[in-house]
Amino acid sequence: SNWNYGRDPFEGLRFDAPLRSLRQRLSRDKEPLLETILRERLLKNMHRLTVVSKPSFEVGPLQEAEEKRRLEEHRAKLTEDDLQRLIDETKELKEMQEKPDAPEALACMPRLEIADIPKLSPRMTTEVGAIGGA
């Protein structure tokens, strides 16, 4: 989107040289680029935001009523064949979801052990404030 700012619109397409440089820095120089970015931008970043949400007792029922209305409207447009097809597809999906995964598929899933989780949460300094007079 450089062209929005009066720059060369084809600049973004010239990525060979920067990509070549990146490959060199990663493979030959063994520069820890990703690790450095993660460390600086995430781990050592002291900016935090805690959002406190207050539930609404009206929104849920209103959304459910709207969804029920839309579903009833859609169902009224379906033929008996459409309904039967939906029922069959739902049964097929349920069978597929309830079928156990193959050991090969389970083996490639990442696992988190209890020992991987610190016993104590890190302490964060907090500052309570409001935005826009809320």
Side-chain angles (χ1 to χ4, degrees):
S1 61
N2 283 339
W3 67 272
N4 290 353
Y5 303 102
R7 291 184 174 168
D8 180 5
F10 296 104
E11 184 180 336
L13 299 175
R14 297 184 196 103
F15 55 86
D16 286 341
L19 195 55
R20 197 171 18 260
S21 169
L22 177 62
R23 278 195 196 113
Q24 175 184 334
R25 291 169 66 186
L26 290 172
S27 62
R28 192 183 77 198
D29 302 343
K30 303 291 186 213
E31 192 173 330
L33 295 174
L34 182 60
E35 293 89 338
T36 302
I37 291 170
L38 289 173
R39 189 178 314 102
E40 290 175 0
R41 303 273 171 105
L42 293 177
L43 299 176
K44 290 187 176 180
N45 185 345
M46 299 315 295
H47 294 87
R48 303 282 188 270
L49 174 66
T50 302
V51 177
V52 178
S53 298
K54 294 183 180 178
S56 167
F57 296 102
E58 294 86 27
V59 172
L62 288 173
Q63 288 177 335
E64 288 175 13
E66 174 61 19
E67 182 179 16
K68 186 176 181 180
R69 183 197 63 75
R70 284 186 291 117
L71 288 171
E72 287 173 354
E73 187 179 290
H74 180 70
R75 190 178 195 289
K77 297 177 185 175
L78 297 175
T79 65
E80 287 300 317
D81 290 340
D82 292 335
L83 285 173
Q84 188 58 49
R85 189 183 81 251
L86 284 173
I87 291 169
D88 294 341
E89 288 174 358
T90 302
K91 285 180 185 177
E92 183 181 334
L93 175 63
K94 187 172 181 178
E95 288 171 6
M96 184 179 74
Q97 289 174 332
E98 291 176 349
K99 188 174 107 178
D101 291 323
E104 301 84 29
L106 292 173
C108 70
M109 292 295 293
R111 296 186 56 101
L112 182 65
E113 302 293 334
I114 295 291
D116 297 329
I117 304 170
K119 292 183 189 267
L120 298 174
S121 298
R123 297 291 299 168
M124 298 289 174
T125 57
T126 58
E127 178 182 320
V128 178
I131 296 176

